[in-house]
Amino acid sequence: MPELPEVEVSRLGVSPHLIGNTIERIIVRERRMRWPIPDEVATAQGHKVIAVKRRAKYLLIETSVGTLVMHLGMSGKLRVIDANTPVIKHDHVDIVLDTGKCLRFNDPRRFGAVLWQAPNEALPLMQNLGPEPLTDAFDDKRLFTLSRNRKSPVKNFIMDNAIVVGVGNIYANEALFLAGIDPRRQAGNISAARYKALTARIKQVLAKAIEQGGTTLKDFAQTDGKPGYFAQHLNVYGRAGEPCEVCEKEIQSKVIGQRNTFFCTHCQR
């Protein structure tokens, strides 16, 4: 599943092609996505894109009359292409621009979304979200305070979007390894000092992934069609049975919160 860095890379890739240009029409070939695509998305037709933002894993294409809210789901891809490019299987939505280009959304599994947010309204699914991880609003004091008396594993805790948004499975594994924290430990049993280290590592791995173009996943590529490059630098994710690059002990795996979890029992405690 594309995570926050992949969505941010997509935002950076599509923004120059969208901002300042007018949406001529929106072509919906398949409305049956994670949620049915509402007719209101057509409201954006005839209006300029004034900003392209991201909130958690949602891409926000803003106009003066409202915002197109997009989510890549499990397998969604965005491409900026010529509007007359032949349609292929799973090309569900085109946002056609007055430049002759279009933003095409392809999603084989249809777990993605294209929704409409009217001005001064907030979609229910975007309410109660925690702070963005790369902002000052997310800090170690927040993690430590909210973790008290929590018995759930720390990995589940930092993946909770009410605590902080966008720390998906890959980057939770990596940040916990770099902070030396066992992902199975109860969130409430971790000290303030260790949460300070974890906060720094979360920011580090996400920023590095964005800088290097997003993690190479089988269902993700950048808007120019090139894959990201961060995957070759992963320390533990997907490396069960392989030697830890620090201590050479075998990387372990365990399902925590229905997600595959990877860790080193020697380096993480």
Side-chain angles (χ1 to χ4, degrees):
M1 176 184 294
E3 298 194 20
L4 183 149
E6 285 76 38
V7 180
E8 180 65 11
V9 168
S10 291
R11 186 191 72 80
L12 294 170
V14 305
S15 292
H17 301 280
L18 297 180
I19 295 174
N21 296 319
T22 298
I23 297 174
E24 283 196 342
R25 65 188 185 278
I26 296 177
I27 302 170
V28 179
R29 301 183 185 90
E30 175 59 81
R31 293 190 180 275
R32 297 172 299 169
M33 304 291 283
R34 183 175 182 182
W35 301 284
I37 298 177
D39 293 337
E40 287 81 2
V41 297
T43 307
Q45 294 177 153
H47 296 275
K48 280 188 177 182
V49 176
I50 57 177
V52 180
K53 300 179 181 179
R54 179 192 52 75
R55 180 69 171 112
K57 297 181 185 180
Y58 295 98
L59 195 67
L60 310 177
I61 301 174
E62 296 186 357
T63 73
S64 60
V65 294
T67 301
L68 289 161
V69 179
M70 306 184 74
H71 194 289
L72 297 179
M74 296 286 290
S75 58
K77 298 183 183 71
L78 293 172
R79 295 287 188 276
V80 177
I81 56 177
D82 290 335
N84 59 4
T85 301
V87 174
I88 62 174
K89 190 175 183 180
H90 308 306
D91 281 346
H92 300 316
V93 179
D94 281 2
I95 299 174
V96 182
L97 304 166
D98 60 350
T99 59
K101 299 289 187 179
C102 82
L103 179 65
R104 181 163 290 175
F105 184 36
N106 180 287
D107 186 5
R109 301 183 191 176
R110 299 210 314 266
F111 288 152
V114 181
L115 302 171
W116 181 251
Q117 182 173 272
N120 303 315
E121 290 185 8
L123 293 174
L125 55 83
M126 296 184 67
Q127 295 175 348
N128 303 316
L129 291 176
E132 291 286 331
L134 296 178
T135 65
D136 292 339
F138 172 60
D139 60 17
D140 55 291
K141 295 181 179 63
R142 176 181 176 83
L143 275 189
F144 179 72
T145 300
L146 294 179
S147 70
R148 297 306 85 189
N149 300 317
R150 297 250 186 168
K151 296 183 179 181
S152 61
V154 63
K155 179 167 175 274
N156 290 358
F157 174 65
I158 62 173
M159 289 180 65
D160 183 344
N161 278 331
I163 303 299
V164 56
V165 300
V167 184
N169 194 39
I170 294 173
Y171 302 107
N173 277 282
E174 292 295 298
L176 286 163
F177 173 78
L178 292 171
I181 298 173
D182 191 316
R184 301 168 295 180
R185 287 194 60 184
Q186 290 185 7
N189 289 343
I190 294 173
S191 69
R194 302 197 78 195
Y195 271 121
K196 185 172 184 177
L198 179 57
T199 301
R201 293 305 193 178
I202 288 172
K203 291 176 181 284
Q204 174 189 335
V205 297
L206 291 174
K208 184 177 180 181
I210 292 168
E211 179 184 352
Q212 297 188 349
T215 302
T216 305
L217 300 176
K218 66 178 181 179
D219 287 330
F220 177 79
Q222 296 182 62
T223 53
D224 60 5
K226 297 177 182 177
Y229 300 104
F230 187 52
Q232 40 190 306
H233 303 295
L234 296 175
N235 293 285
V236 289
Y237 183 83
R239 297 190 60 237
E242 298 180 24
C244 172
E245 295 177 353
V246 176
C247 71
E248 298 188 349
K249 297 288 186 181
E250 186 177 291
I251 299 295
Q252 303 296 312
S253 66
K254 178 181 176 64
V255 175
I256 299 177
Q258 300 182 323
R259 305 300 298 273
N260 289 330
T261 304
F262 304 89
F263 54 98
C264 173
T265 55
H266 181 265
C267 295
Q268 293 171 259
R269 55 184 177 81

